[in-house]
Amino acid sequence: MHKIAVIPGDGTGPEVVREGLKVLRAVGELEDFAFETVEYDLGGDRYLETGEVLPDSALEELRTLDAIYLGAVGHPDVAPGILETGLLLRLRFELQQYINLRPVKLYPGVDCPLKDKGPEEIDFVVVRENNEGLYTGSGGFTYRGTPNEVAIQEMVNTRFGVERCLRYAFDYCRRRDDKKMLTLCAKTNVLTFAHDLWWRAFQEVGEEYPDIRRDYAHVDATCMWMVKNPEWFDTIVTCNMFGDIITDLGAMIQGGMGIAAGGNINPEGVSMFEPIGGSAPKYTGKGVINPLAAICAAAMMLEQLGEHAAAERLEKAVMHVTGEKLKSMAAGKMGYSTQEVGDLVVEALG
Ligand code: IPM
Ligand code: MN
């Protein structure tokens, strides 16, 4: 029995999570696995009512579950940073979800903004380091608000953190069994300390993986190649900030935020899965948001929970729905409501 924490969160989060859970129940019946959910009302509304973002007691409970399924974090009435750092980043750090895994895969029938590129060309995975880099909150101000102000935000790279991320990426690339090529995306020509560490660790760890070809691209060039020759890539490994940026680009070339999913993974602990688009306040409550990203996140969660057949079945169902049913991935343009898209996936599972 898998115990899954559900954090519907803000905005359209609850709407897409509802569809994700519906699909999970359906695939659970077909593939014969059971799960129970524990719901947490964390997010902007709770914060506005009580001032609490993530109570320690909730965090301690989350540590004991098998996975976390997250809708969205971000509320128009809450100042930027409070929920992001207090909830999302705190969970990533406290639960040592040191990998952010983001597949960039164009499904059949999905419009791609790149000319002459289709599902054959767009199928790679970004392994983003998720616990370090520019995200640790290390740094500070002096003379804040004065003309002499200094703001420093430090990029933290530990050999330990970088190495565990690289190992995960090499292992993942091996398991993926595609081109067997791992691209390090960094900026060694400018970040001559931080990314020198990445570069050396990449070469040294890479020696243990003679079957995996090592490739390198600066982050700016990576953006260029993702648009020009996305078919080049197999698995990309990169630091936290660069991974954040290139995966938004990745989401666009795979059809947009309506379909892009990711997993915050602690391979030895509790992982958290989420659609990577935000809370989309302007679509909230209208039943027009695309739930496929959340459904794909549920498929990634099944994979992590060891339900491989169910994960595969679910992904196939999603591909059927994109290929045969949906007019567009964009909110309000799918030709179906949020709930109907969930129903279509359930139907396609059969
Ligand atoms: C993401 C988001 C987060 C990040 C924000 C909301 C803190 O953009 O998951 O990519 O920067 O990691
Ligand atoms: Mn992001």
Side-chain angles (χ1 to χ4, degrees):
M1 172 81 88
H2 305 297
K3 278 186 110 175
I4 299 173
V6 179
I7 308 176
D10 301 316
T12 50
E15 296 165 59
V16 297
V17 157
R18 196 176 307 131
E19 299 315 306
L21 291 174
K22 178 163 86 186
V23 169
L24 274 176
R25 276 190 295 274
V27 74
E29 271 169 34
L30 292 163
E31 292 288 344
D32 205 27
F33 68 85
F35 68 95
E36 61 182 39
T37 57
V38 187
E39 193 170 315
Y40 293 85
D41 68 344
L42 303 168
D45 289 331
R46 163 112 176 229
Y47 171 71
L48 291 170
E49 275 164 38
T50 69
E52 282 177 327
V53 180
L54 175 59
D56 292 342
S57 57
L59 179 63
E60 291 319 308
E61 267 177 54
L62 289 169
R63 288 187 199 284
T64 67
L65 302 180
D66 297 320
I68 303 171
Y69 188 43
L70 173 71
V73 169
H75 194 294
D77 302 334
V78 178
I82 294 179
L83 299 170
E84 291 85 346
T85 56
L87 184 54
L88 186 64
L89 299 184
R90 184 150 177 246
L91 284 171
R92 288 178 182 172
F93 290 173
E94 292 274 2
L95 299 176
Q96 289 281 298
Q97 294 163 342
Y98 60 86
I99 298 297
N100 196 321
L101 187 67
R102 297 189 164 180
V104 178
K105 183 167 176 178
L106 182 66
Y107 286 144
V110 177
D111 270 343
C112 174
L114 305 182
K115 191 165 152 278
D116 302 328
K117 302 292 178 189
E120 287 285 296
E121 283 81 22
I122 298 175
D123 185 5
F124 61 93
V125 176
V126 178
V127 175
R128 164 186 173 190
E129 201 290 321
N130 212 31
N131 280 173
E132 301 194 336
L134 282 166
Y135 276 71
T136 62
S138 174
F141 298 104
T142 37
Y143 309 118
R144 185 166 184 271
T146 75
N148 298 330
E149 176 163 355
V150 181
I152 294 179
Q153 194 110 28
E154 289 155 333
M155 188 187 210
V156 177
N157 297 268
T158 68
R159 175 72 193 216
F160 170 76
V162 169
E163 203 170 304
R164 68 179 176 178
C165 173
L166 289 169
R167 267 181 219 289
Y168 182 92
F170 276 109
D171 285 332
Y172 190 91
C173 183
R174 181 179 273 168
R175 256 184 293 141
R176 205 173 124 77
D177 197 16
D178 182 31
K179 301 184 195 78
K180 298 256 188 139
M181 182 183 77
L182 181 63
T183 302
L184 172 65
C185 163
K187 190 75 181 174
T188 53
N189 53 349
V190 174
L191 303 179
T192 50
F193 311 125
H195 286 184
D196 185 63
L197 187 159
W198 274 83
W199 170 262
R200 281 179 286 113
F202 183 61
Q203 304 307 336
E204 287 164 26
V205 172
E207 292 293 316
E208 295 167 31
Y209 297 84
D211 52 325
I212 307 295
R213 187 151 51 98
R214 299 198 286 279
D215 176 45
Y216 175 84
H218 291 319
V219 62
D220 44 357
T222 304
C223 292
M224 183 181 80
W225 294 123
M226 278 172 68
V227 170
K228 198 173 186 298
N229 290 113
E231 64 276 13
W232 173 259
F233 296 113
D234 169 352
T235 307
I236 298 177
V237 64
T238 191
C239 67
N240 208 342
M241 187 83 258
F242 292 175
D244 176 49
I245 298 166
I246 69 170
T247 55
D248 264 30
L249 177 56
M252 286 305 118
I253 69 172
Q254 75 181 118
M257 288 303 181
I259 188 84
N264 301 276
I265 294 179
N266 174 343
E268 300 90 34
V270 185
S271 300
M272 174 166 74
F273 299 85
E274 51 173 345
I276 82 171
S279 53
K282 74 173 179 184
Y283 297 120
T284 301
K286 300 204 164 83
V288 296
I289 196 81
N290 190 341
L292 288 181
I295 292 171
C296 290
M300 291 181 74
M301 177 164 73
L302 289 175
E303 187 69 47
Q304 185 70 24
L305 290 170
E307 300 293 349
H308 305 294
E312 205 183 314
R313 187 171 189 149
L314 182 44
E315 189 185 25
K316 287 213 175 96
V318 169
M319 286 162 84
H320 176 80
V321 170
T322 60
E324 308 292 327
K325 306 281 183 186
L326 259 55
K327 287 208 203 82
S328 159
M329 293 301 117
K333 297 184 181 147
M334 302 182 291
Y336 299 91
S337 69
T338 303
Q339 200 183 329
E340 285 169 338
V341 175
D343 293 339
L344 288 171
V345 176
V346 169
E347 227 174 85
L349 286 169

